[in-house]
Amino acid sequence: FCMGGMLTFVLAALRPDLVKVAVPFYGFPSGDDQPDYSRISAVVRGHMAEQDDFFPPSCAVDLEARLRAAGVDAELTVHEGTGHAFMAPHDALGTQRADLAAEIWPQVHDLIRSTIGLSIDRIKFPIFSSLSEENRFFLPSSSLNPVSMTPAF
């Protein structure tokens, strides 16, 4: 999510040996400091906001084209009518779309299952153990980042 989405791309480029699937949400590298996208071997399915001043949708469309040109299996979906942080359960920006989160999360789970054969339901994230069941539903894709935390299987 946000910076985590950006770091997802960086990690996928730096560690193609470890990252097999990447699902960034409304965040990606911008400016001159770009990773070498040709190194990404992961399947990339990103979810971006239509009204996002931090990560403009036009840049997401451009990035998707660059990823595909580099041979990456990538789709970056810009969700119509959404604002930055639309998946966030805390709704700090007033942009939460719980209906869209309920639609996207099963797709994310299916992608991870089909790509690496792992069910997210079986992953235990110690940092999230105190969250309510409702908020666990919104676990971010970047929580699978082995640099930021180690999930217990």
Side-chain angles (χ1 to χ4, degrees):
F1 286 65
C2 192
M3 185 175 74
M6 183 269 302
L7 292 172
T8 300
F9 284 102
V10 172
L11 184 62
L14 291 176
R15 294 304 306 264
D17 58 317
L18 292 177
V19 180
K20 304 303 176 202
V21 60
V23 188
F25 284 84
Y26 35 82
F28 45 83
S30 59
D32 295 333
D33 195 17
Q34 300 283 318
D36 180 357
Y37 294 117
S38 69
R39 295 196 60 214
I40 295 176
S41 60
V43 173
V44 177
R45 298 295 182 264
H47 298 275
M48 308 303 159
E50 180 183 43
Q51 293 137 12
D52 193 333
D53 293 333
F54 302 106
F55 300 97
S58 61
C59 294
V61 170
D62 178 60
L63 176 56
E64 180 184 62
R66 286 186 286 145
L67 289 164
R68 288 183 175 186
V72 179
D73 178 1
E75 293 177 16
L76 302 183
T77 302
V78 175
H79 295 279
E80 186 176 329
T82 58
H84 188 81
F86 65 87
M87 295 282 288
H90 52 71
D91 200 21
L93 299 178
T95 58
Q96 181 190 40
R97 288 283 308 275
D99 61 319
L100 194 53
E103 179 184 321
I104 293 172
W105 273 122
Q107 296 170 9
V108 171
H109 289 210
D110 289 345
L111 175 66
I112 291 171
R113 266 188 226 104
S114 67
T115 305
I116 62 174
L118 179 66
S119 173
I120 282 186
D121 301 331
R122 295 183 50 216
I123 300 174
K124 306 293 184 219
F125 297 94
I127 195 169
F128 294 115
S129 63
S130 64
L131 293 178
S132 68
E133 283 297 316
E134 178 183 317
N135 286 339
R136 284 186 198 161
F137 177 74
F138 292 98
L139 283 176
S141 61
S142 56
S143 68
L144 295 176
N145 179 340
V147 172
S148 63
M149 73 174 67
T150 304
F153 299 92

